[in-house]
Structure formats: structure tokens, C-alpha cells
């Protein structure tokens, strides 16, 4: 199993991330991609990747963090160039309208997202998309994200992480060549619409992830999440699609290896 989206760089893991990583590798996780959310945390995911052979990194400025940092693409380019073997994606980046109410903030998120698209092109890396709609209209951010990507002169490869929208939106991302990343949300009791998406999307286009420390899957819902729990996401997909767990693990791992260009030599 490969946990394609984790934040072991977050403060809550400061005291035990090594332990958490070892436990994950002991429990069948073959690789972990940790995701930066601003420049500082992007430096930290690289530091963790340098410490553990099968940890990799993604770097970017999260849409909810754009007020905290003046986004400077050059700094991210320098970071990637400092260790291109370990930094496998740009992100997470995208749109998050959940807590914002005014148009100016939406426009700023869109501008910074477009700069991440340029970064992905310049560095020839896939992109990790974050998307969360407003409370009034949960699809709005997804539709805006789709229209920006469709209008872009360059469409990178990538994944829409923690996918929680419906089949219609899923199909639009699939049509653009994106993978869908599923988290522990699919194990939650109220996830029936999302289960339709999992059921209908080709396993070859699915990635599994935890989004640790958030979104711990059942039976650990409400606890601090960690990469070893990615197994519960794989198990739920196997159940929904009526496939052997082994096949789900095998195919989603191959998907991650392909998208993030992970070395096949390290027993993944
Ligand atoms: Zn995340």
C-alpha cells in the first residue's frame, strides 16, 4: 500500500513521526508521500523524505494558507531542484471556499492556483489538487477548479485528493486525465453518494490516502490518523467494488508509482 497523502510534517507528529513511519512500514505500507502546505512545511516534508528511504514529498502552498505567506514560485523551484529525487509533486494546491465569504479571496486563490499549474509545467511534476466547496454550494469550487484547468494551456497529470464530490464531477476530472484520491471519508456512515463514485470509477484511476492527521477511517474515526490506517481505505474499496483486497492494493500502488514516478527498485 502507498499512502499518497499524509502530513507527518504537521506539529502533532513532531514527537513521534519516526515511530509512526516505522509502524506504517511494519504494517504493509510501502511508501508515504508527505504533503507540504506552505514553504516551511514543504521544507519539512523534504527533510523527512531525506531521512527515510520510502518517504517522498510534495511542495506547495495550500489555498487556506495564502494569507500567511507571500507565494514566491522561485523559492519552491529552488526547493525542488535541491532534491528532485525526493520531491515528486507540486501541491497541495487548489481552491477552498468553505470558510471564505468574499469574492476577492476566491480570486486570489485562483491566481495562486494558476501559478502552481505553471510550476508543475516548469518542473515537469504532477500536481496534487485540494478542493472544498462552500457550505451553500459544495460543487462551486470543483467547477471553478475544472474551468481553470480546462482553460490552461498546460494540463498537468495529477490527482484530486480526498475526493468527496459526485460522479458527474468525478467524470470531468477523469476526462482531464486526473486520478481520484480517496480517504477514510469513504468508510463513514453518511458517505453513500461517495460510494457510488468509488463503485463506478475504474480502479486504474484511483489512489488511496489517509490525509493524516485528519479523517481517520472507521474503526478509528475521531482519532489521530496515521499512514498505517490506509489499509482501511483499501479494504473499503475492495468491499464496494467486490474485488480481492490484494488486487486493490496492487493496482492502487501501481497507479501511485506511475503518477509520482516512484522508483520501482525499492520493493514498492
Ligand atoms: Zn492534505
Amino acid at each position: 500500500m502507498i499512502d499518497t497523502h499524509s502530513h507527518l510534517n504537521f506539529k502533532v507528529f513532531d514527537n513521534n513521526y519516526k515511530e509512526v513511519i516505522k509502524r506504517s512500514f511494519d504494517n504493509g505500507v510501502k511508501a508515504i508521500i508527505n504533503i507540504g502546505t506552505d514553504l516551511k512545511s514543504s521544507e519539512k516534508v523534504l527533510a523527512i523524505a531525506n531521512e527515510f528511504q520510502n518517504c517522498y514529498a510534495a511542495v506547495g502552498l495550500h489555498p487556506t494558507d495564502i494569507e500567511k505567506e507571500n507565494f514566491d514560485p522561485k523559492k519552491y523551484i529552488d526547493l525542488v531542484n535541491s532534491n528532485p529525487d525526493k520531491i515528486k509533486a507540486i501541491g497541495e494546491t487548489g481552491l477552498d471556499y468553505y470558510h471564505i465569504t468574499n469574492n476577492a479571496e476566491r480570486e486570489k486563490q485562483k491566481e495562486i492556483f494558476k501559478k502552481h499549474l505553471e510550476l508543475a509545467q516548469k518542473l515537469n511534476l504532477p500536481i496534487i489538487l485540494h478542493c472544498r466547496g462552500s457550505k451553500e454550494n459544495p460543487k462551486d469550487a470543483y467547477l471553478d477548479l475544472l474551468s481553470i484547468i480546462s482553460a490552461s494551456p498546460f494540463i498537468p497529470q495529477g490527482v484530486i485528493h480526498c475526493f468527496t464530490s459526485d460522479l458527474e464531477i468525478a467524470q470531468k476530472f477523469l476526462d482531464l486525465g486526473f486520478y481520484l484520491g480517496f480517504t477514510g471519508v469513504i468508510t463513514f456512515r453518511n458517505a453513500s453518494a461517495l460510494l457510488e463514485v468509488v463503485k463506478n470509477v475504474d480502479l486504474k484511476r484511483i489512489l488511496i490516502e489517509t490525509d493524516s492527521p485528519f479523517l481517520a477511517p472507521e474503526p478509528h474515526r475521531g482519532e489521530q490518523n496515521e499512514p498505517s490506517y490506509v489499509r482501511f481505505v483499501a479494504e473499503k474499496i475492495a468491499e464496494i467494488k467486490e474485488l480481492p483486497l490484494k488486487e486493490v492494493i496492487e493496482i492502487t500502488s501501481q497507479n501511485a508509482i506511475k503518477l509520482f514516478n516512484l522508483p520501482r527498485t525499492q520493493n514498492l
Side-chain angles (χ1 to χ4, degrees):
M1 293 171 290
I2 297 178
D3 183 0
T4 59
H5 195 113
S6 201
H7 298 285
L8 301 183
N9 45 305
F10 281 7
K11 227 180 165 36
V12 289
F13 290 113
D14 273 0
N15 293 322
N16 69 345
Y17 75 93
K18 292 182 196 200
E19 223 173 276
V20 166
I21 290 170
K22 283 186 189 127
R23 182 158 60 230
S24 300
F25 289 155
D26 286 346
N27 283 286
V29 174
K30 300 287 187 187
I32 301 167
I33 302 176
N34 283 306
I35 317 292
T37 51
D38 59 17
L39 188 62
K40 221 174 150 202
S41 70
S42 294
E43 287 165 355
K44 200 159 169 189
V45 288
L46 177 58
I48 295 173
N50 285 333
E51 219 177 320
F52 290 87
Q53 188 175 42
N54 285 352
C55 285
Y56 297 92
V59 301
L61 181 60
H62 193 286
T64 59
D65 288 325
I66 58 174
E67 297 304 331
K68 293 180 212 152
E69 178 179 315
N70 204 350
F71 182 63
D72 180 357
K74 174 83 173 54
K75 290 191 173 141
Y76 288 88
I77 291 172
D78 288 347
L79 189 58
V80 172
N81 287 335
S82 76
N83 195 343
D85 290 341
K86 280 293 189 174
I87 299 178
K88 295 297 190 181
I90 295 300
E92 57 188 297
T93 177
L95 302 174
D96 193 319
Y97 297 166
Y98 197 71
H99 294 291
I100 66 172
T101 46
N102 70 69
N103 230 7
E105 282 177 77
R106 290 188 179 200
E107 290 310 310
K108 190 171 175 192
Q109 286 192 7
K110 289 178 194 172
E111 284 318 305
I112 289 177
F113 171 59
K114 286 178 196 165
K115 288 183 186 163
H116 281 81
L117 285 176
E118 289 167 18
L119 263 187
Q121 179 177 23
K122 250 184 215 140
L123 295 164
N124 194 23
L125 286 173
I127 200 159
I128 296 174
L129 302 173
H130 168 99
C131 194
R132 195 177 188 197
S134 68
K135 287 167 200 160
E136 304 73 47
N137 178 8
K139 278 196 192 186
D140 53 7
Y142 281 98
L143 292 169
D144 283 358
L145 200 58
L146 282 162
S147 67
I148 293 169
I149 296 168
S150 307
S152 165
F154 170 75
I155 299 179
Q157 294 218 290
V159 55
I160 173 115
H161 115 85
C162 191
F163 187 81
T164 51
S165 193
D166 60 17
L167 197 55
E168 189 195 344
I169 296 282
Q171 193 54 53
K172 291 181 198 286
F173 280 99
L174 294 170
D175 290 345
L176 287 170
F178 283 83
Y179 288 83
L180 304 182
F182 292 105
T183 58
V185 171
I186 66 169
T187 69
F188 298 169
R189 205 173 293 179
N190 53 358
S192 56
L194 195 53
L195 303 193
E196 275 307 296
V197 181
V198 175
K199 195 173 180 144
N200 286 287
V201 170
D202 186 349
L203 189 59
K204 287 209 161 78
R205 306 297 294 280
I206 289 176
L207 299 182
I208 54 174
E209 55 169 293
T210 60
D211 206 14
S212 301
F214 313 115
L215 302 174
E218 294 287 1
H220 295 281
R221 191 172 181 181
E223 296 171 24
Q224 184 170 305
N225 204 357
E226 62 175 58
S228 61
Y229 292 169
V230 77
R231 168 179 300 279
F232 299 105
V233 179
E235 282 173 357
K236 187 70 190 182
I237 292 172
E239 179 196 314
I240 297 164
K241 295 180 99 56
E242 297 176 50
L243 290 170
L245 177 61
K246 202 167 169 274
E247 189 177 335
V248 171
I249 290 171
E250 173 64 24
I251 303 289
T252 56
S253 297
Q254 291 307 319
N255 296 343
I257 289 167
K258 197 170 150 206
L259 177 63
F260 298 112
N261 191 24
L262 304 180
R264 284 167 198 274
T265 48
Q266 279 161 23
N267 207 10
L268 294 183

